[in-house]
Amino acid sequence: MTHYSEMSGCGLAGIINRDGTKISGKFIYDSITSMKERGNGMGAGYAAYGIYPEMTEYYAFHVMLDDLDYESEVNAVLNRFFRIVKSEMIPTKSVPSLYKKTKPPIFYRYFVEPREDAKLPMETEEDLVVRAVMTINDGIDGAYVISSGKNMGAFKGVGHPDEIGDFFEIKEYEGYIWLAHTRFPTNTPGWWGGAHPFTLLDWAIVHNGEITSYGTNKRYVEMFGYKCTLLTDTEVAAYLFDLLFRKHRLPIRAVFMAMAAPFWKDIEHYKEVGLDKVYEMAKMIRTVYAPAMLNGPFAMLFAFKDGVIGFNDRIKLRPFVAAVNGDTVYMASEESAIRVICPEPEKVWMPKAGEPVIALMNHCTEEEVCYPGN
């Protein structure tokens, strides 16, 4: 029998236990696989936080290699920037249906410590890590860094979410934050590096939709040293988040006001109703960060070590649902993907257009994570 995929948009899922309790990858696996029909088997992936408790002080580089021969080149670059504490192949499992589509790449992980003598003048540790990522992705044909944060990792590839989850044995990991994605590429290639999540440092993003402003956004981030090499529009959103949040040190809500900026008529409305400070801030952000604004239909989930943030475009052209049950916050493309793992949540809602859902760890406030690194 021949099976056909129907276009219904990508699928997103996210879970955060705000008290830090770790849960098996089975929960996010069950959530995203319940939306399998939203993808077409051309990409799926996971991101997890808290999965390397014995190596928390080191950056965990997950690297995809087209061929094992590239490992020596990656190793040489990493040695220029870091002291390599440990390196090993990422465990994978044979999934027959996956091998029928494509031969999977080889996946390595490296736990590394930045070298002080590798830093440029005024360069922070995080800047050095970003420079190392860009050096590998742009300079080694056949090697790609798919995650580079501390105590977290991304696992992704070409396949349905159950196939990719089984390939990487996702259920064997435990984390306090999980993201997942199933892909239906429409204007970018379906290849292993183009699957979601996209990451940088400990930021991870999954995305449903299309960023029609990609050209403008790409040129903007490249002014600050980022290089878009993974052949999909979502990559630029990860770099924008790093630029605005970490480099420019904007508060969380200001970041999302820049990326999903309100219409000018809505900004003027703030003034009309007496919200002068909000009006001035929105006007400033819309003016200064115009090249950072994401146009097009989208819903996105961002994760980092202190929380998960979900938001969609300013007229809500892609579905986005959130729910709360105790200290756990769920976000997904469909309510059913939440109820399959939490049948009776305390609260379920559909966030308004352009309005972020910010779920932070219990020990954090928005003020504490406005300026990461302090």
Side-chain angles (χ1 to χ4, degrees):
M1 180 183 294
T2 302
H3 296 270
Y4 298 95
S5 295
E6 296 180 5
M7 183 185 295
S8 56
C10 303
L12 317 175
I15 306 170
I16 174 173
N17 284 330
R18 299 176 64 237
D19 61 359
T21 300
K22 294 183 184 180
I23 57 171
S24 163
K26 181 181 185 305
F27 290 91
I28 196 71
Y29 178 100
D30 289 346
S31 179
I32 195 65
T33 55
S34 74
M35 298 185 288
K36 184 174 180 177
E37 76 285 348
R38 297 190 68 87
N40 65 353
M42 294 304 290
Y46 301 81
Y49 292 74
I51 58 174
Y52 298 130
E54 305 301 319
M55 307 293 282
T56 57
E57 60 187 296
Y58 305 112
Y59 291 92
F61 271 58
H62 285 197
V63 181
M64 181 182 77
L65 305 170
D66 287 346
D67 189 277
L68 192 57
D69 291 343
Y70 295 114
E71 198 277 333
S72 60
E73 294 184 59
V74 171
N75 200 76
V77 171
L78 290 177
N79 273 308
R80 280 169 40 200
F81 291 90
F82 309 101
R83 180 176 72 89
I84 299 176
V85 178
K86 181 180 179 180
S87 65
E88 62 187 2
M89 292 183 69
I90 296 176
T92 57
K93 175 183 174 182
S94 178
V95 179
S97 59
L98 203 59
Y99 283 82
K100 291 179 181 178
K101 299 175 183 178
T102 177
K103 179 185 176 182
I106 298 163
F107 290 88
Y108 256 78
R109 60 185 166 209
Y110 305 81
F111 295 94
V112 301
E113 182 178 50
R115 290 174 43 185
E116 285 297 322
D117 61 354
K119 289 182 182 178
L120 299 175
M122 305 300 290
E123 187 175 50
T124 67
E125 183 175 289
E126 292 82 4
D127 290 336
L128 181 142
V129 174
V130 171
R131 185 159 58 91
V133 170
M134 299 300 154
T135 299
I136 293 172
N137 287 357
D138 188 52
I140 302 178
D141 186 19
Y144 309 91
V145 178
I146 60 173
S147 61
S148 54
K150 290 183 176 180
N151 199 18
M152 61 82 66
F155 308 84
K156 64 181 187 176
V158 174
H160 286 290
D162 55 333
E163 295 171 324
I164 298 301
D166 292 340
F167 178 72
F168 285 109
E169 300 181 284
I170 287 298
K171 296 177 185 178
E172 300 300 313
Y173 292 89
E174 290 192 340
Y176 63 92
I177 292 175
W178 286 93
L179 292 187
H181 185 266
T182 182
R183 191 176 184 215
F184 199 122
T186 53
N187 62 358
T188 53
W191 71 292
W192 283 74
H196 301 213
F198 286 91
T199 75
L200 186 65
L201 295 168
D202 80 336
W203 321 123
I205 174 177
V206 290
H207 165 222
N208 171 21
E210 181 180 353
I211 300 175
T212 58
S213 56
Y214 173 73
T216 299
N217 304 143
K218 176 177 179 288
R219 287 189 293 272
Y220 181 60
V221 298
E222 287 179 343
M223 291 169 55
F224 297 92
Y226 301 91
K227 297 178 181 179
C228 296
T229 59
L230 299 177
L231 308 179
T232 185
D233 53 358
T234 311
E235 180 185 17
V236 77
Y239 302 160
L240 278 171
F241 190 76
D242 182 64
L243 174 66
L244 301 184
F245 191 40
R246 182 181 65 88
K247 296 284 288 180
H248 290 186
R249 304 163 75 86
L250 294 181
I252 291 176
R253 292 185 184 275
V255 170
F256 290 97
M257 184 173 281
M259 295 176 71
F263 291 101
W264 282 111
K265 64 180 180 65
D266 296 325
I267 293 175
E268 292 296 329
H269 181 70
Y270 294 140
K271 188 175 184 180
E272 293 169 3
V273 297
L275 298 174
D276 292 343
K277 289 185 178 180
V278 178
Y279 165 76
E280 292 297 336
M281 181 181 73
K283 182 180 176 182
M284 180 273 293
I285 290 173
R286 181 71 194 269
T287 301
V288 173
Y289 289 104
M293 184 174 67
L294 302 177
N295 278 322
F298 62 81
M300 296 186 183
L301 301 183
F302 279 93
F304 61 114
K305 66 180 178 63
D306 290 326
V308 176
I309 304 166
F311 78 119
N312 55 13
D313 63 82
R314 50 191 178 167
I315 54 177
K316 200 175 176 69
L317 292 173
R318 288 294 183 271
F320 173 41
V321 183
V324 175
N325 195 55
D327 277 321
T328 305
V329 180
Y330 304 88
M331 303 181 200
S333 296
E334 299 178 7
E335 185 176 335
S336 61
I338 296 173
R339 291 192 180 273
V340 74
I341 55 174
C342 180
E344 298 295 335
E346 296 168 6
K347 178 183 178 182
V348 181
W349 76 101
M350 296 185 68
K352 295 179 181 178
E355 183 176 287
V357 175
I358 301 173
L360 301 179
M361 301 297 290
N362 285 342
H363 64 265
C364 296
T365 65
E366 285 190 40
E367 289 74 19
E368 289 173 335
V369 296
C370 281
Y371 304 112
N374 281 5

mmCIF file of all heavy atoms in Angstrom, residues 196-225:
data_model
loop_
_atom_site.group_PDB
_atom_site.id
_atom_site.type_symbol
_atom_site.label_atom_id
_atom_site.label_comp_id
_atom_site.label_asym_id
_atom_site.label_seq_id
_atom_site.Cartn_x
_atom_site.Cartn_y
_atom_site.Cartn_z
ATOM 1 N N HIS A 196 14.765 20.698 12.498
ATOM 2 C CA HIS A 196 14.740 21.474 13.733
ATOM 3 C C HIS A 196 14.980 20.525 14.906
ATOM 4 O O HIS A 196 14.687 19.326 14.796
ATOM 5 C CB HIS A 196 13.378 22.135 13.915
ATOM 6 C CG HIS A 196 12.969 23.049 12.805
ATOM 7 N ND1 HIS A 196 12.213 24.182 12.999
ATOM 8 C CD2 HIS A 196 13.184 22.997 11.460
ATOM 9 C CE1 HIS A 196 11.990 24.780 11.848
ATOM 10 N NE2 HIS A 196 12.575 24.076 10.894
ATOM 11 N N PRO A 197 15.470 21.052 16.043
ATOM 12 C CA PRO A 197 15.690 22.440 16.439
ATOM 13 C C PRO A 197 16.953 23.032 15.809
ATOM 14 O O PRO A 197 17.858 22.323 15.400
ATOM 15 C CB PRO A 197 15.863 22.347 17.963
ATOM 16 C CG PRO A 197 15.491 20.971 18.363
ATOM 17 C CD PRO A 197 15.722 20.122 17.162
ATOM 18 N N PHE A 198 16.965 24.384 15.803
ATOM 19 C CA PHE A 198 18.173 25.132 15.509
ATOM 20 C C PHE A 198 18.651 25.720 16.829
ATOM 21 O O PHE A 198 17.842 26.157 17.656
ATOM 22 C CB PHE A 198 17.906 26.230 14.482
ATOM 23 C CG PHE A 198 17.737 25.665 13.107
ATOM 24 C CD1 PHE A 198 16.483 25.318 12.647
ATOM 25 C CD2 PHE A 198 18.826 25.448 12.286
ATOM 26 C CE1 PHE A 198 16.313 24.760 11.387
ATOM 27 C CE2 PHE A 198 18.676 24.896 11.018
ATOM 28 C CZ PHE A 198 17.414 24.548 10.570
ATOM 29 N N THR A 199 19.954 25.709 17.023
ATOM 30 C CA THR A 199 20.487 26.085 18.324
ATOM 31 C C THR A 199 21.723 26.955 18.186
ATOM 32 O O THR A 199 22.366 26.998 17.136
ATOM 33 C CB THR A 199 20.876 24.839 19.151
ATOM 34 O OG1 THR A 199 22.089 24.301 18.619
ATOM 35 C CG2 THR A 199 19.797 23.770 19.114
ATOM 36 N N LEU A 200 22.062 27.618 19.269
ATOM 37 C CA LEU A 200 23.330 28.317 19.415
ATOM 38 C C LEU A 200 23.521 28.533 20.907
ATOM 39 O O LEU A 200 22.590 28.991 21.594
ATOM 40 C CB LEU A 200 23.328 29.664 18.682
ATOM 41 C CG LEU A 200 24.674 30.393 18.660
ATOM 42 C CD1 LEU A 200 25.713 29.607 17.853
ATOM 43 C CD2 LEU A 200 24.532 31.796 18.093
ATOM 44 N N LEU A 201 24.728 28.193 21.422
ATOM 45 C CA LEU A 201 24.914 28.182 22.874
ATOM 46 C C LEU A 201 23.789 27.344 23.476
ATOM 47 O O LEU A 201 23.548 26.239 23.012
ATOM 48 C CB LEU A 201 24.976 29.612 23.425
ATOM 49 C CG LEU A 201 26.191 30.430 22.939
ATOM 50 C CD1 LEU A 201 26.028 31.902 23.289
ATOM 51 C CD2 LEU A 201 27.478 29.887 23.537
ATOM 52 N N ASP A 202 23.095 27.877 24.502
ATOM 53 C CA ASP A 202 22.022 27.024 25.038
ATOM 54 C C ASP A 202 20.638 27.436 24.542
ATOM 55 O O ASP A 202 19.623 26.969 25.042
ATOM 56 C CB ASP A 202 22.078 26.965 26.573
ATOM 57 C CG ASP A 202 21.461 28.171 27.265
ATOM 58 O OD1 ASP A 202 21.392 29.241 26.631
ATOM 59 O OD2 ASP A 202 21.062 28.039 28.431
ATOM 60 N N TRP A 203 20.584 28.285 23.509
ATOM 61 C CA TRP A 203 19.288 28.607 22.892
ATOM 62 C C TRP A 203 18.905 27.475 21.936
ATOM 63 O O TRP A 203 19.724 26.947 21.203
ATOM 64 C CB TRP A 203 19.341 29.905 22.074
ATOM 65 C CG TRP A 203 20.143 31.029 22.622
ATOM 66 C CD1 TRP A 203 21.182 31.684 22.011
ATOM 67 C CD2 TRP A 203 19.995 31.669 23.892
ATOM 68 N NE1 TRP A 203 21.679 32.666 22.812
ATOM 69 C CE2 TRP A 203 20.971 32.684 23.980
ATOM 70 C CE3 TRP A 203 19.133 31.479 24.967
ATOM 71 C CZ2 TRP A 203 21.118 33.514 25.091
ATOM 72 C CZ3 TRP A 203 19.276 32.293 26.092
ATOM 73 C CH2 TRP A 203 20.243 33.288 26.131
ATOM 74 N N ALA A 204 17.626 27.144 21.909
ATOM 75 C CA ALA A 204 17.108 26.185 20.924
ATOM 76 C C ALA A 204 15.756 26.699 20.441
ATOM 77 O O ALA A 204 14.978 27.245 21.222
ATOM 78 C CB ALA A 204 16.963 24.792 21.529
ATOM 79 N N ILE A 205 15.480 26.518 19.161
ATOM 80 C CA ILE A 205 14.231 27.009 18.593
ATOM 81 C C ILE A 205 13.621 25.966 17.670
ATOM 82 O O ILE A 205 14.330 25.292 16.916
ATOM 83 C CB ILE A 205 14.454 28.333 17.813
ATOM 84 C CG1 ILE A 205 13.178 28.762 17.087
ATOM 85 C CG2 ILE A 205 15.597 28.201 16.835
ATOM 86 C CD1 ILE A 205 13.284 30.074 16.357
ATOM 87 N N VAL A 206 12.300 25.825 17.751
ATOM 88 C CA VAL A 206 11.530 25.058 16.770
ATOM 89 C C VAL A 206 10.466 25.996 16.208
ATOM 90 O O VAL A 206 9.972 26.878 16.901
ATOM 91 C CB VAL A 206 10.898 23.789 17.382
ATOM 92 C CG1 VAL A 206 11.973 22.768 17.717
ATOM 93 C CG2 VAL A 206 10.057 24.109 18.623
ATOM 94 N N HIS A 207 10.094 25.767 14.959
ATOM 95 C CA HIS A 207 9.342 26.788 14.217
ATOM 96 C C HIS A 207 8.365 26.135 13.256
ATOM 97 O O HIS A 207 8.708 25.173 12.573
ATOM 98 C CB HIS A 207 10.374 27.648 13.456
ATOM 99 C CG HIS A 207 9.823 28.510 12.372
ATOM 100 N ND1 HIS A 207 10.461 28.648 11.142
ATOM 101 C CD2 HIS A 207 8.721 29.275 12.302
ATOM 102 C CE1 HIS A 207 9.774 29.478 10.383
ATOM 103 N NE2 HIS A 207 8.708 29.860 11.057
ATOM 104 N N ASN A 208 7.166 26.646 13.217
ATOM 105 C CA ASN A 208 6.168 26.260 12.225
ATOM 106 C C ASN A 208 5.803 27.493 11.427
ATOM 107 O O ASN A 208 5.303 28.469 11.997
ATOM 108 C CB ASN A 208 4.917 25.682 12.904
ATOM 109 C CG ASN A 208 3.766 25.481 11.930
ATOM 110 O OD1 ASN A 208 3.973 25.394 10.720
ATOM 111 N ND2 ASN A 208 2.547 25.400 12.446
ATOM 112 N N GLY A 209 6.060 27.474 10.122
ATOM 113 C CA GLY A 209 5.672 28.620 9.310
ATOM 114 C C GLY A 209 6.755 28.996 8.320
ATOM 115 O O GLY A 209 7.595 28.181 7.935
ATOM 116 N N GLU A 210 6.747 30.249 7.942
ATOM 117 C CA GLU A 210 7.688 30.743 6.935
ATOM 118 C C GLU A 210 8.103 32.156 7.303
ATOM 119 O O GLU A 210 7.250 33.011 7.589
ATOM 120 C CB GLU A 210 7.042 30.738 5.553
ATOM 121 C CG GLU A 210 7.952 31.210 4.443
ATOM 122 C CD GLU A 210 7.267 31.193 3.084
ATOM 123 O OE1 GLU A 210 6.135 30.697 2.995
ATOM 124 O OE2 GLU A 210 7.879 31.678 2.126
ATOM 125 N N ILE A 211 9.402 32.408 7.316
ATOM 126 C CA ILE A 211 9.916 33.745 7.604
ATOM 127 C C ILE A 211 10.177 34.436 6.264
ATOM 128 O O ILE A 211 11.208 34.212 5.618
ATOM 129 C CB ILE A 211 11.200 33.680 8.448
ATOM 130 C CG1 ILE A 211 10.912 32.985 9.787
ATOM 131 C CG2 ILE A 211 11.747 35.086 8.691
ATOM 132 C CD1 ILE A 211 12.142 32.760 10.640
ATOM 133 N N THR A 212 9.227 35.248 5.839
ATOM 134 C CA THR A 212 9.350 35.901 4.538
ATOM 135 C C THR A 212 10.363 37.040 4.558
ATOM 136 O O THR A 212 10.776 37.527 3.502
ATOM 137 C CB THR A 212 7.988 36.434 4.073
ATOM 138 O OG1 THR A 212 7.485 37.349 5.050
ATOM 139 C CG2 THR A 212 6.987 35.297 3.904
ATOM 140 N N SER A 213 10.760 37.476 5.752
ATOM 141 C CA SER A 213 11.764 38.542 5.883
ATOM 142 C C SER A 213 13.173 37.978 6.002
ATOM 143 O O SER A 213 14.107 38.700 6.384
ATOM 144 C CB SER A 213 11.457 39.388 7.117
ATOM 145 O OG SER A 213 11.392 38.558 8.281
ATOM 146 N N TYR A 214 13.358 36.705 5.671
ATOM 147 C CA TYR A 214 14.640 36.026 5.887
ATOM 148 C C TYR A 214 15.818 36.800 5.309
ATOM 149 O O TYR A 214 16.868 36.936 5.953
ATOM 150 C CB TYR A 214 14.592 34.620 5.284
ATOM 151 C CG TYR A 214 15.921 33.906 5.303
ATOM 152 C CD1 TYR A 214 16.457 33.412 6.481
ATOM 153 C CD2 TYR A 214 16.660 33.744 4.122
ATOM 154 C CE1 TYR A 214 17.690 32.768 6.503
ATOM 155 C CE2 TYR A 214 17.890 33.094 4.140
ATOM 156 C CZ TYR A 214 18.404 32.606 5.323
ATOM 157 O OH TYR A 214 19.614 31.979 5.344
ATOM 158 N N GLY A 215 15.690 37.315 4.087
ATOM 159 C CA GLY A 215 16.800 38.027 3.464
ATOM 160 C C GLY A 215 17.256 39.218 4.291
ATOM 161 O O GLY A 215 18.453 39.412 4.532
ATOM 162 N N THR A 216 16.295 40.015 4.758
ATOM 163 C CA THR A 216 16.619 41.176 5.597
ATOM 164 C C THR A 216 17.219 40.732 6.919
ATOM 165 O O THR A 216 18.232 41.285 7.380
ATOM 166 C CB THR A 216 15.355 42.008 5.853
ATOM 167 O OG1 THR A 216 14.839 42.491 4.609
ATOM 168 C CG2 THR A 216 15.648 43.181 6.769
ATOM 169 N N ASN A 217 16.604 39.742 7.552
ATOM 170 C CA ASN A 217 17.092 39.247 8.848
ATOM 171 C C ASN A 217 18.498 38.667 8.719
ATOM 172 O O ASN A 217 19.345 38.886 9.574
ATOM 173 C CB ASN A 217 16.152 38.189 9.406
ATOM 174 C CG ASN A 217 14.718 38.635 9.552
ATOM 175 O OD1 ASN A 217 13.796 37.856 9.332
ATOM 176 N ND2 ASN A 217 14.502 39.897 9.907
ATOM 177 N N LYS A 218 18.729 37.926 7.652
ATOM 178 C CA LYS A 218 20.040 37.300 7.433
ATOM 179 C C LYS A 218 21.128 38.360 7.279
ATOM 180 O O LYS A 218 22.203 38.263 7.895
ATOM 181 C CB LYS A 218 19.977 36.414 6.189
ATOM 182 C CG LYS A 218 21.300 35.759 5.785
ATOM 183 C CD LYS A 218 21.076 34.844 4.581
ATOM 184 C CE LYS A 218 22.376 34.172 4.127
ATOM 185 N NZ LYS A 218 23.287 35.111 3.468
ATOM 186 N N ARG A 219 20.861 39.372 6.461
ATOM 187 C CA ARG A 219 21.860 40.431 6.273
ATOM 188 C C ARG A 219 22.137 41.153 7.589
ATOM 189 O O ARG A 219 23.272 41.549 7.875
ATOM 190 C CB ARG A 219 21.391 41.422 5.202
ATOM 191 C CG ARG A 219 21.461 40.859 3.784
ATOM 192 C CD ARG A 219 21.211 41.931 2.751
ATOM 193 N NE ARG A 219 19.843 42.428 2.792
ATOM 194 C CZ ARG A 219 18.831 41.893 2.126
ATOM 195 N NH1 ARG A 219 19.039 40.822 1.358
ATOM 196 N NH2 ARG A 219 17.617 42.409 2.205
ATOM 197 N N TYR A 220 21.098 41.310 8.411
ATOM 198 C CA TYR A 220 21.243 42.006 9.686
ATOM 199 C C TYR A 220 22.155 41.221 10.635
ATOM 200 O O TYR A 220 23.123 41.767 11.176
ATOM 201 C CB TYR A 220 19.866 42.210 10.309
ATOM 202 C CG TYR A 220 19.877 42.941 11.637
ATOM 203 C CD1 TYR A 220 20.385 44.234 11.745
ATOM 204 C CD2 TYR A 220 19.365 42.351 12.782
ATOM 205 C CE1 TYR A 220 20.386 44.911 12.960
ATOM 206 C CE2 TYR A 220 19.354 43.013 14.000
ATOM 207 C CZ TYR A 220 19.865 44.290 14.082
ATOM 208 O OH TYR A 220 19.870 44.958 15.281
ATOM 209 N N VAL A 221 21.904 39.932 10.836
ATOM 210 C CA VAL A 221 22.727 39.173 11.784
ATOM 211 C C VAL A 221 24.149 38.989 11.263
ATOM 212 O O VAL A 221 25.098 38.922 12.053
ATOM 213 C CB VAL A 221 22.100 37.801 12.140
ATOM 214 C CG1 VAL A 221 20.748 37.986 12.827
ATOM 215 C CG2 VAL A 221 21.980 36.890 10.935
ATOM 216 N N GLU A 222 24.301 38.919 9.946
ATOM 217 C CA GLU A 222 25.646 38.755 9.398
ATOM 218 C C GLU A 222 26.511 39.991 9.616
ATOM 219 O O GLU A 222 27.735 39.897 9.613
ATOM 220 C CB GLU A 222 25.561 38.396 7.913
ATOM 221 C CG GLU A 222 25.084 36.960 7.693
ATOM 222 C CD GLU A 222 24.973 36.566 6.237
ATOM 223 O OE1 GLU A 222 24.952 37.487 5.377
ATOM 224 O OE2 GLU A 222 24.902 35.359 5.937
ATOM 225 N N MET A 223 25.877 41.146 9.857
ATOM 226 C CA MET A 223 26.624 42.341 10.227
ATOM 227 C C MET A 223 27.340 42.161 11.567
ATOM 228 O O MET A 223 28.326 42.843 11.860
ATOM 229 C CB MET A 223 25.691 43.548 10.319
ATOM 230 C CG MET A 223 25.131 44.035 8.994
ATOM 231 S SD MET A 223 23.802 45.244 9.229
ATOM 232 C CE MET A 223 24.599 46.470 10.252
ATOM 233 N N PHE A 224 26.837 41.231 12.389
ATOM 234 C CA PHE A 224 27.394 41.015 13.723
ATOM 235 C C PHE A 224 28.205 39.719 13.803
ATOM 236 O O PHE A 224 28.492 39.225 14.896
ATOM 237 C CB PHE A 224 26.259 40.990 14.755
ATOM 238 C CG PHE A 224 25.511 42.281 14.839
ATOM 239 C CD1 PHE A 224 24.375 42.502 14.067
ATOM 240 C CD2 PHE A 224 25.941 43.308 15.670
ATOM 241 C CE1 PHE A 224 23.675 43.701 14.138
ATOM 242 C CE2 PHE A 224 25.254 44.504 15.745
ATOM 243 C CZ PHE A 224 24.120 44.710 14.967
ATOM 244 N N GLY A 225 28.562 39.140 12.653
ATOM 245 C CA GLY A 225 29.457 37.999 12.636
ATOM 246 C C GLY A 225 28.812 36.637 12.542
ATOM 247 O O GLY A 225 29.515 35.617 12.488
#
